[in-house]
Amino acid sequence: MASLTNQPAHLHALGFCGADDSVDPHLLLLISKAYPFVEWGVLFRPDKVGTPRYASDEWVERLSLAARSSNGSMKLAAHLCGAHVNSVLAANSAGDSLLSRLYSLGFRRVQINATAVNGVDTSDLSNSAVRLRNVMRNHSGLQFILQRSEETKPLWSPFDVEPERNMSMLFDESKGTGALASSYSAPSPNYPVGYAGGIGPANISSVLSSVSKAAQGYSVWIDMESRLRSNKDGRDVFDLEKCYTCVRGVCAWT
């Protein structure tokens, strides 16, 4: 068994999405210092701020302070939903201000959840791709993650042919609903890729084996959300015990 301090081979990030007010940001910091391959994902959707899975503004500020004290070991990703995605895809001033603020808070990756289930207007994704390319170029300090599914194909397909330097794609045919993939596509040699959908502590080992075969030696990441939740004392919480079970599974897999 590999040491629990080792970064897993061919896996450059282990994404835990949905960190919220139910957990102390300094506990996330402690895990990041021990396992710097962990990436904490925060969901941003204006109409759900402060509800389970969607952190309050005050909590995000506390997280930012923790990240600043980590000397770079704490990785943060902003997962945008709803009106935030609409603003970024419209390339308007609200979207530009949001991305600048996220960078100032310490986020270095931004995932665009451009699906109907995430409250996004998906009627004009083809033209949105043109605008998004300019947004990427204007915010070169951020890496943009495009959620890759059949629904979002009009948005990601132009980037598949002509990728930007600061972009990556997340294979997630579940479209953020937490359904486990039946198979995993091979990565592109032209940009980083990750895999999501139904991953959690109960299946982390089998998923890693399948992803490893699909990755063909490329460095990839995996991301999870729904299966990190627990009901404790009647509250829907982000469960760090489940996160740690996944960390142990990833390290043992190597």
mmCIF file of all heavy atoms in Angstrom, residues 56-79:
data_model
loop_
_atom_site.group_PDB
_atom_site.id
_atom_site.type_symbol
_atom_site.label_atom_id
_atom_site.label_comp_id
_atom_site.label_asym_id
_atom_site.label_seq_id
_atom_site.Cartn_x
_atom_site.Cartn_y
_atom_site.Cartn_z
ATOM 1 N N SER A 56 -22.445 30.439 1.724
ATOM 2 C CA SER A 56 -22.748 31.858 1.889
ATOM 3 C C SER A 56 -21.529 32.683 1.509
ATOM 4 O O SER A 56 -20.396 32.189 1.480
ATOM 5 C CB SER A 56 -23.128 32.141 3.342
ATOM 6 O OG SER A 56 -22.001 31.954 4.193
ATOM 7 N N ASP A 57 -21.746 33.955 1.240
ATOM 8 C CA ASP A 57 -20.634 34.852 0.907
ATOM 9 C C ASP A 57 -19.641 34.948 2.061
ATOM 10 O O ASP A 57 -18.424 35.006 1.842
ATOM 11 C CB ASP A 57 -21.163 36.244 0.557
ATOM 12 C CG ASP A 57 -21.951 36.265 -0.744
ATOM 13 O OD1 ASP A 57 -21.794 35.325 -1.553
ATOM 14 O OD2 ASP A 57 -22.722 37.215 -0.956
ATOM 15 N N GLU A 58 -20.166 34.974 3.287
ATOM 16 C CA GLU A 58 -19.294 35.072 4.460
ATOM 17 C C GLU A 58 -18.399 33.843 4.581
ATOM 18 O O GLU A 58 -17.211 33.956 4.904
ATOM 19 C CB GLU A 58 -20.139 35.226 5.729
ATOM 20 C CG GLU A 58 -20.917 36.523 5.823
ATOM 21 C CD GLU A 58 -22.188 36.526 4.980
ATOM 22 O OE1 GLU A 58 -22.578 35.450 4.458
ATOM 23 O OE2 GLU A 58 -22.790 37.610 4.809
ATOM 24 N N TRP A 59 -18.954 32.659 4.308
ATOM 25 C CA TRP A 59 -18.169 31.424 4.382
ATOM 26 C C TRP A 59 -17.094 31.414 3.299
ATOM 27 O O TRP A 59 -15.958 30.983 3.560
ATOM 28 C CB TRP A 59 -19.089 30.217 4.228
ATOM 29 C CG TRP A 59 -18.393 28.903 4.458
ATOM 30 C CD1 TRP A 59 -18.269 28.233 5.642
ATOM 31 C CD2 TRP A 59 -17.724 28.105 3.476
ATOM 32 N NE1 TRP A 59 -17.557 27.070 5.460
ATOM 33 C CE2 TRP A 59 -17.211 26.968 4.135
ATOM 34 C CE3 TRP A 59 -17.506 28.235 2.110
ATOM 35 C CZ2 TRP A 59 -16.501 25.967 3.475
ATOM 36 C CZ3 TRP A 59 -16.795 27.249 1.445
ATOM 37 C CH2 TRP A 59 -16.299 26.128 2.114
ATOM 38 N N VAL A 60 -17.413 31.884 2.105
ATOM 39 C CA VAL A 60 -16.425 31.934 1.025
ATOM 40 C C VAL A 60 -15.269 32.847 1.407
ATOM 41 O O VAL A 60 -14.099 32.540 1.111
ATOM 42 C CB VAL A 60 -17.082 32.394 -0.294
ATOM 43 C CG1 VAL A 60 -16.025 32.618 -1.376
ATOM 44 C CG2 VAL A 60 -18.100 31.360 -0.773
ATOM 45 N N GLU A 61 -15.559 33.944 2.080
ATOM 46 C CA GLU A 61 -14.493 34.836 2.540
ATOM 47 C C GLU A 61 -13.588 34.125 3.539
ATOM 48 O O GLU A 61 -12.355 34.274 3.501
ATOM 49 C CB GLU A 61 -15.091 36.093 3.180
ATOM 50 C CG GLU A 61 -15.792 37.031 2.198
ATOM 51 C CD GLU A 61 -14.814 37.799 1.309
ATOM 52 O OE1 GLU A 61 -13.594 37.765 1.591
ATOM 53 O OE2 GLU A 61 -15.281 38.433 0.346
ATOM 54 N N ARG A 62 -14.170 33.337 4.432
ATOM 55 C CA ARG A 62 -13.374 32.576 5.398
ATOM 56 C C ARG A 62 -12.523 31.526 4.684
ATOM 57 O O ARG A 62 -11.357 31.296 5.051
ATOM 58 C CB ARG A 62 -14.288 31.913 6.426
ATOM 59 C CG ARG A 62 -14.973 32.893 7.377
ATOM 60 C CD ARG A 62 -16.034 32.189 8.200
ATOM 61 N NE ARG A 62 -15.483 31.069 8.944
ATOM 62 C CZ ARG A 62 -16.187 30.005 9.321
ATOM 63 N NH1 ARG A 62 -17.479 29.907 8.997
ATOM 64 N NH2 ARG A 62 -15.617 29.037 9.993
ATOM 65 N N LEU A 63 -13.095 30.890 3.681
ATOM 66 C CA LEU A 63 -12.343 29.918 2.895
ATOM 67 C C LEU A 63 -11.165 30.584 2.202
ATOM 68 O O LEU A 63 -10.060 30.038 2.149
ATOM 69 C CB LEU A 63 -13.267 29.266 1.863
ATOM 70 C CG LEU A 63 -12.613 28.266 0.909
ATOM 71 C CD1 LEU A 63 -12.162 27.012 1.650
ATOM 72 C CD2 LEU A 63 -13.581 27.881 -0.221
ATOM 73 N N SER A 64 -11.403 31.771 1.673
ATOM 74 C CA SER A 64 -10.348 32.506 0.986
ATOM 75 C C SER A 64 -9.195 32.824 1.935
ATOM 76 O O SER A 64 -8.018 32.689 1.568
ATOM 77 C CB SER A 64 -10.920 33.803 0.403
ATOM 78 O OG SER A 64 -9.906 34.596 -0.184
ATOM 79 N N LEU A 65 -9.505 33.223 3.149
ATOM 80 C CA LEU A 65 -8.473 33.511 4.133
ATOM 81 C C LEU A 65 -7.661 32.259 4.455
ATOM 82 O O LEU A 65 -6.433 32.314 4.590
ATOM 83 C CB LEU A 65 -9.101 34.073 5.412
ATOM 84 C CG LEU A 65 -9.669 35.490 5.313
ATOM 85 C CD1 LEU A 65 -10.397 35.861 6.607
ATOM 86 C CD2 LEU A 65 -8.554 36.494 5.033
ATOM 87 N N ALA A 66 -8.347 31.128 4.567
ATOM 88 C CA ALA A 66 -7.651 29.873 4.828
ATOM 89 C C ALA A 66 -6.721 29.525 3.676
ATOM 90 O O ALA A 66 -5.574 29.104 3.884
ATOM 91 C CB ALA A 66 -8.666 28.754 5.053
ATOM 92 N N ALA A 67 -7.194 29.714 2.456
ATOM 93 C CA ALA A 67 -6.378 29.391 1.275
ATOM 94 C C ALA A 67 -5.138 30.275 1.211
ATOM 95 O O ALA A 67 -4.050 29.810 0.851
ATOM 96 C CB ALA A 67 -7.216 29.546 0.007
ATOM 97 N N ARG A 68 -5.283 31.546 1.583
ATOM 98 C CA ARG A 68 -4.143 32.457 1.547
ATOM 99 C C ARG A 68 -3.050 32.034 2.519
ATOM 100 O O ARG A 68 -1.872 32.323 2.301
ATOM 101 C CB ARG A 68 -4.599 33.875 1.866
ATOM 102 C CG ARG A 68 -5.442 34.524 0.774
ATOM 103 C CD ARG A 68 -5.988 35.857 1.236
ATOM 104 N NE ARG A 68 -7.054 36.340 0.353
ATOM 105 C CZ ARG A 68 -7.856 37.360 0.641
ATOM 106 N NH1 ARG A 68 -7.713 38.006 1.792
ATOM 107 N NH2 ARG A 68 -8.792 37.724 -0.213
ATOM 108 N N SER A 69 -3.441 31.374 3.599
ATOM 109 C CA SER A 69 -2.471 30.955 4.611
ATOM 110 C C SER A 69 -1.823 29.608 4.288
ATOM 111 O O SER A 69 -0.980 29.135 5.045
ATOM 112 C CB SER A 69 -3.149 30.868 5.982
ATOM 113 O OG SER A 69 -4.045 29.765 6.041
ATOM 114 N N SER A 70 -2.217 28.996 3.172
ATOM 115 C CA SER A 70 -1.779 27.622 2.871
ATOM 116 C C SER A 70 -0.494 27.545 2.070
ATOM 117 O O SER A 70 -0.019 26.447 1.773
ATOM 118 C CB SER A 70 -2.880 26.889 2.101
ATOM 119 O OG SER A 70 -2.970 27.352 0.753
ATOM 120 N N ASN A 71 0.056 28.698 1.681
ATOM 121 C CA ASN A 71 1.265 28.713 0.841
ATOM 122 C C ASN A 71 1.090 27.911 -0.456
ATOM 123 O O ASN A 71 2.013 27.224 -0.906
ATOM 124 C CB ASN A 71 2.471 28.180 1.622
ATOM 125 C CG ASN A 71 2.858 29.089 2.773
ATOM 126 O OD1 ASN A 71 2.846 30.315 2.644
ATOM 127 N ND2 ASN A 71 3.184 28.496 3.922
ATOM 128 N N GLY A 72 -0.111 27.990 -1.004
ATOM 129 C CA GLY A 72 -0.375 27.371 -2.296
ATOM 130 C C GLY A 72 -0.828 25.937 -2.256
ATOM 131 O O GLY A 72 -1.116 25.342 -3.310
ATOM 132 N N SER A 73 -0.925 25.321 -1.068
ATOM 133 C CA SER A 73 -1.307 23.908 -1.004
ATOM 134 C C SER A 73 -2.808 23.696 -1.110
ATOM 135 O O SER A 73 -3.263 22.579 -1.383
ATOM 136 C CB SER A 73 -0.796 23.275 0.291
ATOM 137 O OG SER A 73 -1.416 23.852 1.428
ATOM 138 N N MET A 74 -3.591 24.755 -0.904
ATOM 139 C CA MET A 74 -5.048 24.608 -0.926
ATOM 140 C C MET A 74 -5.587 24.990 -2.294
ATOM 141 O O MET A 74 -5.505 26.144 -2.717
ATOM 142 C CB MET A 74 -5.676 25.481 0.162
ATOM 143 C CG MET A 74 -7.126 25.151 0.469
ATOM 144 S SD MET A 74 -7.728 26.109 1.888
ATOM 145 C CE MET A 74 -9.247 25.221 2.258
ATOM 146 N N LYS A 75 -6.137 24.026 -2.996
ATOM 147 C CA LYS A 75 -6.659 24.243 -4.345
ATOM 148 C C LYS A 75 -8.158 24.492 -4.287
ATOM 149 O O LYS A 75 -8.908 23.721 -3.684
ATOM 150 C CB LYS A 75 -6.358 23.032 -5.236
ATOM 151 C CG LYS A 75 -4.880 22.766 -5.443
ATOM 152 C CD LYS A 75 -4.672 21.549 -6.324
ATOM 153 C CE LYS A 75 -3.206 21.353 -6.678
ATOM 154 N NZ LYS A 75 -2.366 21.055 -5.478
ATOM 155 N N LEU A 76 -8.609 25.571 -4.959
ATOM 156 C CA LEU A 76 -10.017 25.942 -4.967
ATOM 157 C C LEU A 76 -10.549 26.009 -6.396
ATOM 158 O O LEU A 76 -9.900 26.561 -7.285
ATOM 159 C CB LEU A 76 -10.230 27.298 -4.301
ATOM 160 C CG LEU A 76 -9.740 27.475 -2.859
ATOM 161 C CD1 LEU A 76 -10.076 28.881 -2.371
ATOM 162 C CD2 LEU A 76 -10.338 26.420 -1.943
ATOM 163 N N ALA A 77 -11.749 25.469 -6.592
ATOM 164 C CA ALA A 77 -12.428 25.542 -7.885
ATOM 165 C C ALA A 77 -13.830 26.084 -7.673
ATOM 166 O O ALA A 77 -14.546 25.637 -6.772
ATOM 167 C CB ALA A 77 -12.491 24.165 -8.550
ATOM 168 N N ALA A 78 -14.220 27.040 -8.492
ATOM 169 C CA ALA A 78 -15.572 27.597 -8.451
ATOM 170 C C ALA A 78 -16.419 26.894 -9.501
ATOM 171 O O ALA A 78 -16.070 26.885 -10.678
ATOM 172 C CB ALA A 78 -15.534 29.092 -8.718
ATOM 173 N N HIS A 79 -17.533 26.296 -9.068
ATOM 174 C CA HIS A 79 -18.440 25.613 -9.983
ATOM 175 C C HIS A 79 -19.652 26.509 -10.179
ATOM 176 O O HIS A 79 -20.491 26.644 -9.279
ATOM 177 C CB HIS A 79 -18.846 24.255 -9.412
ATOM 178 C CG HIS A 79 -17.726 23.259 -9.331
ATOM 179 N ND1 HIS A 79 -17.849 21.958 -9.797
ATOM 180 C CD2 HIS A 79 -16.458 23.376 -8.871
ATOM 181 C CE1 HIS A 79 -16.704 21.321 -9.600
ATOM 182 N NE2 HIS A 79 -15.843 22.161 -9.029
#
